[in-house]
Amino acid sequence: MGIVPGYVFVLPAVIVVGWILSWWGARRIRWVLLSAAAVVSVLCVVIGWLAMGPPADPGTVNCSSSWACTDPGSLYVVAAGLLGFGCCAVLVILALVGEVILVWRGRRVSN
């Protein structure tokens, strides 16, 4: 397989940049963007997984293993989806912590 192409990291990068930019907008935008990014990431995993097709028998198709017979393009789509979903999970935790800090600061200032 070798080196992973750069387009695998495009989806996670777009998710992170969108999340950072969303802090200057309304709170609702942040959560809608994270939800949409999670849906797109899951779709990438599903589409990539379905594109791989059923596992091939290495003996009948003259491959060293069933992974050797797999189209790497579909594996990269799955990898992009998994990385994107992982980014969403981490960013949800960070967003929750950020929201708690903002609420805590708001109560502290008003007292």
Side-chain angles (χ1 to χ4, degrees):
M1 279 241 291
I3 298 181
V4 177
Y7 67 82
V8 170
F9 302 104
V10 170
L11 178 62
V14 168
I15 292 170
V16 170
V17 168
W19 182 80
I20 291 170
L21 293 175
S22 73
W23 283 91
W24 282 277
R27 178 181 297 164
R28 174 176 242 167
I29 292 172
R30 183 174 320 114
W31 295 107
V32 168
L33 286 176
L34 276 175
S35 300
V39 168
V40 169
S41 298
V42 169
L43 284 174
C44 284
V45 172
V46 170
I47 290 169
W49 194 265
L50 292 175
M52 282 193 277
D57 181 19
T60 60
V61 290
N62 208 13
C63 295
S64 59
S65 69
S66 60
W67 287 110
C69 295
T70 304
D71 176 29
S74 58
L75 288 177
Y76 296 144
V77 173
V78 171
L82 291 174
L83 282 172
F85 191 78
C87 282
C88 289
V90 169
L91 293 176
V92 163
I93 294 168
L94 290 175
L96 289 173
V97 169
E99 296 284 344
V100 167
I101 290 171
L102 289 175
V103 169
W104 181 71
R105 281 179 135 185
R107 286 186 186 165
R108 192 168 178 212
V109 170
S110 64
N111 286 338

